[in-house]
Amino acid sequence: MQKRGASGVVELAAGPWAAQVLPARGMNTIALSFYGRPILRTPLSRREWRENPCAFGTPVLLPPNRTDRGRFVFDGACYQLPLNDVELDNHLHGVLHQRPFTVLDRSGRSVLGVYENDGSDYPFPFSMEVRCILERAGYRQRFIVKNTGTRDMPLTFGLHTTFLEQALFRVDIGKRWVLDDRLLPTGDLAQLQREELAYLRGTCSRGKAIQGFYTAAGHTAQVGDILYEVSENFDHWVLWNGGGNQGFCTIEPLQGGVNALNSGRGLIRLKPGEAAAFETQFRYADPAKHGRPCALYIDALGRNAPKNTGCEKRYRRCPPADRLWNAP
């Protein structure tokens, strides 16, 4: 049987993988490791977590990111969400990541939690089931959102997945949404700039401020030697690393774009009784299956290594070069 700590932590283990899940905080996978090496950013103290609860582990977001002034209209009715993004006068990320889930089933390798919203946390009744499964092949999460009300429900969903910074990250981004001064999309799409094209090939994020909203050109990201794969109904990626000097990088899959409750882009309409499912998976990037060794890693060991990037030492801490890959 799996252990459960005094703080309500559910511990999972399988082969080289270990995970910790917090049902009391939105079923957040607050820790994940591979052969003892941490993958996700975990808070060092309760105070650190309280200061920014979305910047650790895998918080669930409903609705994700920003909603313009917290207001939206659906089927002729106007709704108001709390303005918790005070500086920019928006609603941000919802509150599900702070809500307690009821554990329905658990073992040493999996846990299932459910949350019932009666309309107070989001103005449409729904249930959310989250199942976390740890296997020797990797770690899987499955999220099922079901409309439990009597009228149609607008759904947009995301995960604020926060990785510890590694020497390489790569994401299947498409085009960049142009933003206004309140970090809301203007409706215009732009081609990727030179530094953003590097996110597709693989690059080091250390010392670079990264923040952008992108359409999805695929459904795979890589951080170090870990693949992060998401289901096809995630149609956007959000990238953010807190200015590039805090040791983390968030790679956020989103269904529906930022401010989707107002733009309607990618918004799912759930009829009463209907459900939508989303999945994610973390697994080891086997170079025999996923491509050649990462040239950037080899360069950073001394051959044409970039200067003054802060990446050199980080690369030396990573696995051998034949365990990292770059997309062809």
Side-chain angles (χ1 to χ4, degrees):
M1 296 293 291
Q2 104 294 338
K3 303 174 183 178
R4 180 171 178 143
S7 61
V9 177
V10 175
E11 298 186 7
L12 309 176
W17 297 88
Q20 294 182 339
V21 181
L22 290 178
R25 292 293 184 269
M27 290 295 288
N28 189 337
T29 300
I30 199 63
L32 180 66
S33 64
F34 181 64
Y35 281 110
R37 176 167 51 85
I39 295 168
L40 299 174
R41 186 188 190 211
T42 301
L44 299 177
S45 67
R46 291 180 181 272
R47 178 180 178 180
E48 184 182 39
W49 195 4
R50 285 196 299 267
E51 290 176 352
N52 195 350
C54 278
F56 301 93
T58 62
V60 294
L61 311 178
L62 195 164
N65 215 278
R66 290 175 173 82
T67 300
D68 187 7
R69 306 194 191 282
R71 294 193 296 265
F72 67 96
V73 175
F74 183 74
D75 284 349
C78 183
Y79 299 92
Q80 179 69 57
L81 302 173
L83 297 179
N84 55 356
D85 181 14
V86 179
E87 182 178 350
L88 298 179
D89 195 27
N90 294 310
H91 177 72
L92 181 65
H93 292 333
V95 295
L96 255 68
H97 59 279
Q98 301 177 14
R99 294 294 183 252
F101 279 58
T102 300
V103 175
L104 299 182
D105 179 57
R106 60 180 186 173
S107 69
R109 295 192 176 190
S110 71
V111 59
L112 171 65
V114 65
Y115 178 73
E116 299 281 350
N117 170 56
D118 60 5
S120 55
D121 287 336
Y122 183 66
F124 299 87
F126 71 88
S127 67
M128 177 183 288
E129 287 189 1
V130 180
R131 182 177 286 278
C132 305
I133 304 172
L134 199 58
E135 302 167 320
R136 293 187 65 87
Y139 183 61
R140 292 188 289 123
Q141 297 170 293
R142 181 173 173 83
F143 308 85
I144 300 178
V145 182
K146 182 179 180 179
N147 181 356
T148 57
T150 59
R151 54 199 170 117
D152 290 3
M153 167 187 166
L155 174 63
T156 174
F157 176 72
L159 297 162
H160 207 281
T161 309
T162 306
F163 291 87
L164 283 175
E165 184 180 59
Q166 299 295 329
L168 174 142
F169 87 101
R170 189 193 70 79
V171 191
D172 289 338
I173 56 175
K175 293 184 178 181
R176 172 174 41 86
W177 287 104
V178 178
L179 306 180
D180 63 18
D181 57 0
R182 293 173 53 234
L183 298 183
L184 297 169
T186 64
D188 296 327
L189 283 168
Q191 298 295 327
L192 299 180
Q193 298 177 352
R194 181 177 179 180
E195 60 271 21
E196 293 170 317
L197 289 172
Y199 305 163
L200 280 168
R201 297 188 298 267
T203 186
C204 174
S205 62
R206 185 174 175 82
K208 304 174 185 176
I210 296 173
Q211 181 167 348
F213 306 148
Y214 303 91
T215 60
H219 300 89
T220 302
Q222 181 185 358
V223 178
D225 60 352
I226 299 298
L227 292 181
Y228 183 47
E229 299 167 315
V230 303
S231 53
E232 292 185 0
N233 48 355
F234 285 111
D235 52 10
H236 286 80
W237 295 100
V238 175
L239 304 180
W240 175 64
N241 68 349
N245 57 0
Q246 298 189 47
F248 72 85
C249 183
T250 65
I251 300 179
E252 309 168 35
L254 263 63
Q255 168 270 312
V258 174
N259 198 29
L261 289 172
N262 284 299
S263 71
R265 285 186 294 267
L267 198 66
I268 293 176
R269 175 185 287 266
L270 286 182
K271 295 188 176 300
E274 286 187 341
F278 306 87
E279 296 185 356
T280 70
Q281 177 171 310
F282 300 79
R283 62 190 181 93
Y284 170 61
D286 185 347
K289 297 179 180 179
H290 300 109
R292 64 185 183 276
C294 174
L296 186 61
Y297 176 91
I298 297 171
D299 286 345
L301 292 180
R303 294 187 291 275
N304 302 317
K307 302 301 182 182
N308 301 320
T309 63
C311 294
E312 292 83 355
K313 292 183 180 179
R314 306 285 289 188
Y315 276 107
R316 293 191 182 99
R317 294 181 191 140
C318 287
D322 62 358
R323 290 177 60 187
L324 288 175
W325 62 279
N326 234 349

